[in-house]
């Protein structure tokens, strides 16, 4: 997307200056932000908005969204154009171009040729006014690697006739643990059920109301806990059924990785030490190596057992 100018783009039209503290433009603005099962970039890619709006729109007006003249089409796919009032956490759709985005009609086989490089549509007249709205274009490509594309632009909305807007929630697919839409291979109905079944949400500058939103964002509390783990229980090693490997091992209270005094516990021998969040190092080996566990706080306090994988108990050698 080149207009309105996406965050930190150097190739957009009428782009604002970079925010304070940001020293470089995004040279990968055309790249996807996520793939299935991978570790995706955040929605909108960048959390800090432009210091000023990249465009000022009036609710109900016609707008034209322009795309990079050197981009490829990946045989089309599903595009949505959405609006957010909570800084880019939740998006309600205002326009869709499903199946043939960028190609206009069903192509004869796989192609990267682009037939459509801009879309013009009317903004809903009931979009609330705001100086801090976020406009997003998102795309699930029809051919090639399974990917999710998204650009976000900070916009101002004027003249809105309503305090809220209700629409379908933006579909997210081919992004981390979200649903996967496979390559179309000529079937342009592929993935349409996700768009048809998208939940209705209401967005407004005062907050978002949703009937079971499908967007998973870490809460402020979760982000705080990642930085400073809370007090909890130090778990003994367990098997796949959740039973203790050794019933005589006691579980101790503490805050695990957050408390230096709990970094090592000596019972029968100094075998294991909690060295990092969710990881254990076995110091009995000539070259210590680290195990990774599903349990949030786990520490071994006996040399009777050692793990061979995430959910097993095996006798130590």
């Amino acid at each position: 997307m080149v207009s309105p100018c996406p965050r930190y783009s150097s190739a957009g039209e009428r782009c604002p200056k970079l925010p304070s503290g940001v020293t470089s433009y995004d040279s990968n603005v055309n790249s996807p932000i996520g793939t299935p099962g991978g570790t995706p970039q955040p929605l909108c890619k960048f959390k800090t908005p432009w210091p000023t709006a990249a465009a000022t729109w009036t609710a109900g007006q016609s707008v034209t969204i322009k795309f990079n003249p050197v981009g490829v089409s990946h045989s089309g796919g599903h595009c949505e154009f959405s609006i957010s009032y909570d800084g880019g956490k939740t998006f309600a759709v205002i326009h869709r171009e499903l199946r043939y985005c960028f190609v206009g009609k069903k192509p004869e086989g796989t192609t990267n040729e682009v037939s459509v490089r801009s879309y013009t549509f009317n903004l809903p007249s009931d979009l609330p006014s705001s100086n801090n709205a976020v406009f997003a274009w998102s795309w699930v490509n029809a051919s090639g690697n399974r990917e999710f594309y998204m650009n976000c632009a900070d916009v101002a909305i004027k003249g809105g006739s309503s305090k809220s807007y209700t629409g379908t929630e933006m579909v997210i697919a081919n992004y981390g643990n979200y649903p996967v839409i496979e390559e179309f291979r000529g079937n342009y109905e592929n993935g349409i059920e996700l768009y048809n079944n998208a939940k209705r949400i209401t967005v407004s500058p005062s907050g978002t109301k949703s009937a079971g939103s499908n967007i998973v964002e870490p809460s402020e509390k979760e982000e705080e806990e990642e930085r400073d783990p809370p007090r909890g229980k130090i778990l003994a090693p367990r098997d796949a059924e959740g039973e203790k490997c050794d019933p005589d091992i006691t579980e101790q209270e503490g805050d695990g990785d957050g408390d230096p005094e709990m970094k090592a516990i000596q019972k029968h021998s100094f075998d294991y030490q909690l060295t990092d969040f969710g990881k254990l190092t076995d110091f009995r080996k000539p070259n210590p190596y680290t195990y990774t566990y599903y349990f949030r706080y786990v520490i071994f306090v006996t040399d009777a057992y050692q793990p061979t994988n995430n959910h097993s108990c095996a006798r130590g050698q």
Side-chain angles (χ1 to χ4, degrees):
M1 188 170 72
V2 296
S3 179
C5 183
R7 287 179 180 175
Y8 308 178
S9 172
S10 61
E13 296 181 1
R14 298 180 295 278
C15 297
K17 294 182 179 180
L18 288 173
S20 176
V22 178
T23 58
S24 61
Y25 289 95
D26 179 16
S27 60
N28 296 310
V29 69
N30 293 334
S31 300
I33 65 167
T35 57
T39 301
Q41 298 177 74
L43 296 181
C44 288
K45 197 173 185 179
F46 302 103
K47 295 292 189 181
T48 303
W50 286 120
T52 58
T56 298
W57 294 336
T58 300
Q61 82 167 82
S62 175
V63 297
T64 297
I65 311 304
K66 299 178 183 179
F67 293 91
N68 195 314
V70 297
V72 296
S73 70
H74 290 298
S75 305
H78 307 314
C79 286
E80 290 187 315
F81 303 86
S82 309
I83 199 76
S84 171
Y85 289 92
D86 59 4
K89 297 178 181 179
T90 310
F91 288 89
V93 176
I94 57 177
H95 183 73
R96 283 173 166 174
E97 293 289 341
L98 302 183
R99 300 176 180 86
Y100 312 125
C101 193
F102 301 127
V103 294
K105 62 181 180 179
K106 186 175 181 178
E108 296 180 2
T110 301
T111 181
N112 274 328
E113 292 186 7
V114 177
S115 301
V116 182
R117 295 195 183 276
S118 66
Y119 285 101
T120 299
F121 53 87
N122 290 332
L123 296 174
S125 60
D126 57 344
L127 284 182
S129 297
S130 173
N131 290 324
N132 302 298
V134 182
F135 172 79
W137 156 75
S138 56
W139 176 36
V140 173
N141 52 310
S143 65
N145 294 333
R146 299 297 76 212
E147 296 165 334
F148 183 71
Y149 293 79
M150 185 181 193
N151 287 161
C152 291
D154 299 287
V155 299
I157 307 291
K158 306 296 183 182
S161 63
S162 173
K163 294 183 178 180
S164 64
Y165 169 72
T166 298
T168 57
E169 187 173 41
M170 180 186 73
V171 169
I172 301 175
N174 299 342
Y175 177 88
N177 294 323
Y178 283 85
V180 175
I181 297 178
E182 300 292 349
E183 273 196 281
F184 289 15
R185 301 184 186 278
N187 177 17
Y188 280 77
E189 297 303 307
N190 198 13
I192 288 295
E193 69 280 357
L194 289 177
Y195 295 85
N196 290 341
N197 296 328
K199 300 182 183 303
R200 302 279 292 177
I201 61 172
T202 299
V203 295
S204 74
S206 61
T208 299
K209 297 180 181 179
S210 170
S213 171
N214 75 326
I215 296 179
V216 180
E217 288 280 342
S219 65
E220 292 182 3
K221 180 179 180 181
E222 289 172 331
E223 292 178 346
E224 181 180 349
E225 288 178 356
E226 288 289 332
R227 297 189 297 269
D228 185 16
R231 294 188 63 83
K233 178 168 286 187
I234 307 302
L235 298 176
R238 296 172 180 269
D239 60 21
E241 284 72 41
E243 299 296 328
K244 289 183 182 180
C245 295
D246 184 341
D248 294 330
I249 296 177
T250 59
E251 297 182 330
Q252 304 192 27
E253 298 292 334
D255 60 0
D257 199 35
D259 184 351
E261 295 182 2
M262 295 299 294
K263 283 200 179 268
I265 295 178
Q266 183 175 358
K267 188 174 182 180
H268 299 303
S269 62
F270 187 74
D271 295 332
Y272 298 94
Q273 181 178 357
L274 187 63
T275 58
D276 195 5
F277 180 77
K279 295 182 179 179
L280 298 171
T281 298
D282 182 355
F283 287 95
R284 294 180 300 174
K285 305 296 182 183
N287 297 310
Y289 56 97
T290 301
Y291 301 102
T292 302
Y293 296 87
Y294 291 131
F295 303 114
R296 183 168 186 135
Y297 303 125
V298 185
I299 192 162
F300 282 80
V301 291
T302 178
D303 60 357
Y305 296 92
Q306 74 176 74
T308 56
N309 56 48
N310 286 346
H311 289 300
S312 68
C313 301
R315 290 282 180 181
Q317 303 298 321

